[in-house]
Amino acid sequence: MTDNIARLKELFPEIITEGKIDFKTLQAILGEELEEEEEYYRFTWAGKAQARREAHKPSTGTLRPCKEDSVNWDTTQNLYLEGDNLEVLKLLQKSYANKVKMIYIDPPYNTGKDFVYKDNYKDSLKNYQQITGQVDDEGNKLSTNSNSDGRFHSNWLNMMYPRLQLARNLLKEDGVIFISIDDGEVHNLRGIANEIFGEENFINNIIWEKKYTVANDAKYFSDNHDHILMFCKSKENFSIGRLPRTEAMNDAYKNPDKHPKGVWKATPLQAKSGSDENFTHTFPNGINWSPPKGRYAAYSHETLDELYHKNEIWFGADGKSMPSKKTFLNELKSLGVVPRTILSFKEAGHNHESKEEIKNLFETGVFDTPKPTRLIRLLSIIANISDKDVVLDFFGGSSTTAHSIMATALELNKKINSITIQIPELVDEKSEAYKSGYKTITEIGKERIRRAGSKIIEEQTEKIANLKAKSESKMMQDEALAEITTLQTNLDNLDTGFKVFKLDTSNIKGWDGNPDNLEQSLFDSQDNIKTERTEEDVLYEILLKYGLDLTLLIEERVIEGKRVFNVGFGALFICLANDVTAKVAEGIGAWKEELAPATCRVIFKDSGFTDVEKTNAVQTLKRFGINEIKSI
């Protein structure tokens, strides 16, 4: 709410009086642009106002590091965040605002049987604990949204609305979101997405052909598709990516006149729009051409003559037919193909393929409704994914997105990182997953990333070994060595690791019930760190409150027997030990001089030293040019 008031103040400073909005002044400024009629176009439902407010409530929880579940903790830039995505998205608001290039989510479709996140707006963190069995053994477990519920659609919309609001904040200005859904809620989803992202930022409703078989026992139609709604944060900044050309597309290009530019295809000279309705062009060979009725010339007279003299106009094999332009394949390959609104199972995969991918990794079907990695791969190209981009999936499921992004990063040789968020939903005790030893969806998701990463490395290593064997032949040597170098470089740059963090209550005592002024409350009392929490727990909570990336490089040194953490090459030093002396501060100052950061902050634990040592430590740090010193 404070952020919204600040934005209004920037636009209309005169409407803010002692921190509050003067609505009468605001109305006077807006003039007649107010809707006061009872009947007007709007999209609403029971609980919408509360759902909107929920997105603005800060989380009272934190994310605790879980190194034992992670892979390549010290080097990876990927995240796996275990917890209710509403709470986790709130915790990411500072650290990841405007940093995510692409979001893909496959939320519950609200079939009346599937899982629905049950929010308790009074204390959603406590509700999460009940859901995951941390508080109530009887379990206020994961629930379904029954068709018999009088607020069947409203419940689902209340679940989705705040999550999409929070997700939008994380998108870069050129970022995009893809949301999978079926016919049951696609109309409602489009309504709330229009409101949150802006109707003007709607890109398309992509139809994905999810099945290749026909259900002959269907009552009306065989259900063979899903919808994928695509919105961008700002159409002014977003540029859509083009898909790679297929061999079938290239086969249409021939070179009957042996043109030096290579193979080409005849394309029309007319366009759908234009200005000259009476355009007629006479080519140097005497042939007159006018666009068909209702069409316009795509090129000027000068350009048509230029194309003619470059032998890039085709008049048919007899030289007298309707003229067309020669479009050369070598000029199109780098441009790619404009995406179609329908993605067929041949290009984007299908449900059977996605289940087989799971079985190939786990040797059994541990997840019933995964999406194929080829689908996410295509969407990432459409999103125009690039080097150092971040992809987020906050309904992580079986971690298809994380798996696909690893494969995409390898193929493109780009540093593309993923953030996966998934609640530890309990699996059915009768399921194959449970029989295979997996108790929660998060256990499946984390294991899939581990196995997928290992398999990608194994396959790439095998390719390199096969090429090395071929390179022993002199004829193959140069070609094979070049490919080996490329494959090895791509493999060396690939990040198959992930850092796991788990949602929990704050590490700070007395904070959980007071969501107001969170950052200040972190520093306002002594001995306020919970005894069962580690220094690393508190360290990452500080990073979140400062809005720092959870994957920032963190170095550790022991100075005078105390652990000191260096975050971001000296931008922040944190020491949470007891019995700290001025000598520790001196060691921090010396470390800071080694790194020479542009700015530097230091945080201690308030109970970590006596008043005298605290004063001495502060003065010591100031001698090293460190003036921002806080204690928690």
Side-chain angles (χ1 to χ4, degrees), residues 60-273:
T60 57
T62 192
L63 294 171
R64 296 178 66 188
C66 182
K67 291 186 179 181
E68 58 270 25
D69 285 2
S70 305
V71 175
N72 300 334
W73 175 273
D74 292 328
T75 58
T76 186
Q77 296 292 300
N78 301 317
L79 293 174
Y80 189 97
L81 309 178
E82 192 169 322
D84 180 351
N85 54 18
L86 179 63
E87 291 297 307
V88 176
L89 286 169
K90 289 179 181 181
L91 290 169
L92 298 183
Q93 291 300 294
K94 281 190 176 182
S95 298
Y96 292 90
N98 305 308
K99 290 185 179 179
V100 175
K101 170 66 176 182
M102 167 182 159
I103 297 174
Y104 171 78
I105 54 171
D106 184 20
Y109 283 9
N110 207 21
T111 61
K113 299 176 182 178
D114 58 354
F115 163 68
V116 170
Y117 290 61
K118 186 178 179 182
D119 295 326
N120 178 334
Y121 291 137
K122 291 182 180 177
D123 190 346
S124 51
L125 188 65
K126 183 177 180 182
N127 180 70
Y128 161 72
Q129 292 176 306
Q130 292 175 336
I131 285 173
T132 54
Q134 295 181 45
V135 173
D136 187 353
D137 290 337
E138 294 179 4
N140 179 7
K141 303 297 182 187
L142 305 175
S143 63
T144 56
N145 190 26
S146 170
N147 282 293
S148 62
D149 192 315
R151 292 183 172 180
F152 177 69
H153 294 294
S154 293
N155 288 342
W156 188 84
L157 287 166
N158 288 330
M159 182 273 291
M160 290 295 297
Y161 194 88
R163 289 166 170 83
L164 290 177
Q165 273 195 310
L166 292 165
R168 183 187 180 279
N169 298 337
L170 303 183
L171 281 177
K172 295 171 65 176
E173 288 304 308
D174 64 345
V176 291
I177 183 170
F178 300 95
I179 313 170
S180 284
I181 198 68
D182 67 0
D183 287 319
E185 293 288 358
V186 65
H187 52 298
N188 286 327
L189 179 61
R190 176 77 179 270
I192 59 174
N194 279 341
E195 185 170 314
I196 292 168
F197 295 95
E199 194 169 0
E200 69 280 6
N201 291 316
F202 171 70
I203 301 293
N204 221 298
N205 178 3
I206 302 167
I207 303 300
W208 169 50
E209 191 180 17
K210 64 182 179 181
K211 295 179 184 176
Y212 59 86
T213 57
V214 176
N216 288 316
D217 58 346
K219 187 175 181 180
Y220 298 111
F221 283 86
S222 176
D223 180 19
N224 279 52
H225 77 279
D226 271 352
H227 302 267
I228 304 175
L229 296 186
M230 179 183 178
F231 282 79
C232 65
K233 190 169 186 180
S234 168
K235 269 189 178 177
E236 292 180 1
N237 296 296
F238 175 64
S239 177
I240 198 163
R242 296 199 173 196
L243 301 177
R245 300 184 61 84
T246 65
E247 288 300 320
M249 293 174 182
N250 295 342
D251 287 344
Y253 288 76
K254 310 294 181 184
N255 194 1
D257 62 347
K258 296 183 171 49
H259 196 286
K261 277 191 175 182
V263 295
W264 52 268
K265 184 173 75 171
T267 55
L269 296 175
Q270 64 263 21
K272 291 181 181 180
S273 60

Side-chain angles (χ1 to χ4, degrees), residues 250-406:
N250 295 342
D251 287 344
Y253 288 76
K254 310 294 181 184
N255 194 1
D257 62 347
K258 296 183 171 49
H259 196 286
K261 277 191 175 182
V263 295
W264 52 268
K265 184 173 75 171
T267 55
L269 296 175
Q270 64 263 21
K272 291 181 181 180
S273 60
S275 57
D276 191 347
E277 296 181 359
N278 301 306
F279 186 96
T280 299
H281 183 77
T282 302
F283 286 97
N285 62 0
I287 292 178
N288 293 320
W289 173 80
S290 295
K293 189 176 181 180
R295 297 276 176 154
Y296 299 85
Y299 307 95
S300 67
H301 291 286
E302 293 77 14
T303 301
L304 288 172
D305 282 340
E306 182 182 347
L307 290 171
Y308 176 88
H309 291 299
K310 290 165 64 177
N311 189 22
E312 294 184 13
I313 297 291
W314 176 246
F315 295 94
D318 60 0
K320 300 177 182 178
S321 301
M322 176 72 70
S324 55
K325 180 183 180 296
K326 296 177 184 178
T327 299
F328 295 91
L329 181 59
N330 61 7
E331 296 175 346
L332 293 177
K333 278 187 174 180
S334 61
L335 297 177
V337 181
V338 173
R340 297 181 304 129
T341 55
I342 298 176
L343 297 180
S344 74
F345 64 81
K346 292 181 181 179
E347 60 182 329
H350 44 75
N351 284 345
H352 180 70
E353 175 183 312
S354 57
K355 290 180 180 179
E356 285 301 309
E357 285 180 327
I358 289 286
K359 285 183 179 179
N360 289 337
L361 287 173
F362 289 89
E363 300 177 359
T364 185
V366 296
F367 200 84
D368 294 331
T369 57
K371 292 293 186 286
T373 54
R374 279 202 291 162
L375 173 63
I376 312 302
R377 162 71 174 128
L378 276 181
L379 296 180
S380 67
I381 295 175
I382 293 170
N384 219 351
I385 211 81
S386 189
D387 200 39
K388 298 181 181 178
D389 278 338
V390 176
V391 177
L392 167 66
D393 183 346
F394 57 89
F395 286 96
S398 68
S399 296
T400 299
T401 301
H403 180 175
S404 178
I405 293 305
M406 276 194 292

Side-chain angles (χ1 to χ4, degrees), residues 43 56 76 157 167 215 245 265 268 270 313 389 394 408 514 527 579-580 608 623 626:
F43 181 46
H56 298 289
T76 186
L157 287 166
R245 300 184 61 84
K265 184 173 75 171
Q270 64 263 21
I313 297 291
D389 278 338
F394 57 89
T408 301
N514 178 23
D527 279 335
D579 302 319
V580 173
R623 283 197 289 106
I626 303 172

Side-chain angles (χ1 to χ4, degrees), residues 481-524:
L481 286 175
E483 190 171 353
I484 288 168
T485 301
T486 299
L487 291 174
Q488 189 63 57
T489 300
N490 293 3
L491 183 58
D492 292 341
N493 290 333
L494 183 64
D495 184 354
T496 58
F498 57 97
K499 285 185 174 183
V500 177
F501 290 83
K502 296 186 179 184
L503 179 66
D504 207 332
T505 55
S506 170
N507 301 292
I508 312 300
K509 296 176 186 176
W511 187 1
D512 298 339
N514 178 23
D516 298 325
N517 199 16
L518 294 182
E519 190 168 343
Q520 182 58 40
S521 67
L522 182 64
F523 305 103
D524 66 0

